Amino acid sequence: MNERSFYLTTPIYYVNSVPHLGTAYTTVAADALARYRRMTGHDVLFLTGLDEHGQKVAQAADEAGMSPQEWCDSIAPRFLEAWEMLRITNDDFIRTTEERHKRGVQAFWQALHDAGHLYQGHYEGWYCVPCETYYAEDQIGDHECPVCGRELEFIREDNWFFKLSEFGDSLLELYDARAVEGRPFIRPETRSNEVVAFVRSGLKDLSISRTTFEWGVPLPFGDGHVTYVWIDALLNYITAIGYGDPEKATDFERRWPAQYHFVGKDIIRFHCVIWPAMLLAAGLEVPECVYAHGFLLAKGEKMSKSKGNAQTPASLVQRFGVDAYRYYFLRDVRFGEDGSISMESMVQRYNGDLANDWGNLCSRLFNMTEKYLGGLAPTSPRGLSTEADDTLRSLALSLPDKYESAMAALDFGAALEATWDLIKEANRYIETVAPWNLAKTEETADRLATVLYNTLESVRIAALFCAPVMPETSAEVWRRLSLGDIHQVTDIVSAARWGQLPGGNRVFKGEPLFPRIYEDQQDA
Ligand code: ME8
């Protein structure tokens, strides 16, 4: 594996729904990390995509009077458009109906079959079509799905089985070994208890094929059997990077294992139990980490389309702009935990953090540069600095380390907070040193230049660290400072060294980055 390779994935989303705040949440978080890792010089591969097989999709297509493929082809553009709107920089987009995927799935089955991990048997039991999940008799009450509450279907068919039950000990060893090495496989660590308890309670073999419908990847050795959709879906993480394609063997070597699978906590067992067992059976390495974040809650309930409590990403982006959208979800909801979202808190964050703190700082500063210095950045100051100068500068100097620790812990909120410490200090600095007073007499012209330089430099650095979360406005701030394209930065630590704003750079005032939203606009 390439040392700098950074392979990051989101779940592949079901095409029975269009993108919503939940799927956008995981995708935006993954995008912020991918962008940051590109800025730390990593060779990033950021994958997302669509889960297009299974009974649920076949049923949705049927209801719409389309073939399953036509149905998938009609939904896929909705995801592509949404991710473009949210400025998602995925490097690849996999659809499980693609040839590269189907070939990989079949190669995988053949490998497991040859290694003796599969057998034919008879399955009888309860299945939830919306969740595409089998449940044991003791998990269900009145034939209702323990997760979504919908009616279960009784399934009775001949299936192929994967000997999942043989992997319990290896999985427990994996969780333990990784924890001891300080690189837990399941994060946040609080979630691993649930998984460990489940594995300890004993694993049952898993039915991995279906014969009652055809919409899936055919097993290479079982007449009329198609792959159980969850197994099909999990394999996307390796088929996308060339598993099963001899011509892509080096790409696969370079990329696997993945650094992170970002998922919601609803699908943790598939990713932390079934997936690593499948990989162990195939003699493949297990990913570095599955990170299972919490649920977004609206009015205390899990947001979902069926409950009618979901805003759409498009409606919020239209109202707040894409950067504010991304900022809100990563700043206000602690990644890893459930978090309530509301229009009120979004307006508050927008007006407080973005319009007041960050937007105002830029406006005031660029205006003063125009007014007092003819719109040209001063040269790097020489001479003695004051305590206020030192405080500001040392905050800027400490930001890269604080930000890196926060991102390594996937604490987007803490990374943004650290950036805001600098932004707030820059605002305080302006208030304390009052450039408008220094501008009154020629005697303090040097001091005025120093003060504006220090603040411009802080803004230049703050924009760098805002960029993974707020790519548009950060790029705009750099443009207004006549700097290069912020998205080309591949060494954020060097770029953030103090004193690199070239004196004489033209500084443009521009329009407010985040125009205030007023109360009467709130219910619009
Ligand atoms: O499960 N809060 O796809 P899916 C936060 N195809 N995140 C949420 C959320 C909420 N309220 N609702 C959904 C599938 N999500 C399978 C995945 S992967 C091999 C196959 C996010 O379309 C979260 O990431 O139902 C969750 O795990 C995912 O959407 C489920 O997406």
Side-chain angles (χ1 to χ4, degrees), residues 175 178 183-193 195-196 268 271-273 288-292:
Y175 309 145
R178 290 289 189 83
R183 46 179 196 123
F185 172 65
I186 307 165
R187 282 171 63 193
E189 276 187 271
T190 44
R191 297 223 191 282
S192 71
N193 302 339
V195 175
V196 169
I268 193 168
H271 284 83
C272 296
V273 180
E288 276 296 308
C289 174
V290 174
Y291 194 96

Side-chain angles (χ1 to χ4, degrees), residues 503-523:
N505 260 25
R506 182 95 181 90
V507 176
F508 298 91
K509 286 196 301 189
E511 296 296 310
L513 293 173
F514 299 99
R516 243 188 116 72
I517 291 182
Y518 291 97
E519 293 299 312
D520 56 354
Q521 281 173 266
Q522 272 203 35
D523 300 318

Side-chain angles (χ1 to χ4, degrees), residues 17 79 181 364 377 509:
S17 169
F79 278 88
E181 288 163 24
R364 290 170 90 190
K509 286 196 301 189

Side-chain angles (χ1 to χ4, degrees), residues 13 47 67 95 156 210 215 274 282 290 357 437 513-514:
Y13 304 112
L47 176 72
S67 73
R95 299 178 55 185
R156 188 180 279 127
R210 303 288 308 273
W215 186 238
I274 297 175
V290 174
D357 295 343
N437 287 336
L513 293 173
F514 299 99

Side-chain angles (χ1 to χ4, degrees), residues 105-120 160-163 208 219-222 243 278 281-282:
V105 172
Q106 294 196 328
F108 187 82
W109 285 140
Q110 199 60 57
L112 254 56
H113 185 261
D114 296 349
H117 293 297
L118 306 181
Y119 64 93
Q120 270 184 300
W160 282 86
F161 282 80
F162 166 48
K163 295 179 188 168
I208 50 119
L219 262 62
F221 39 80
Y243 177 83
M278 287 164 63

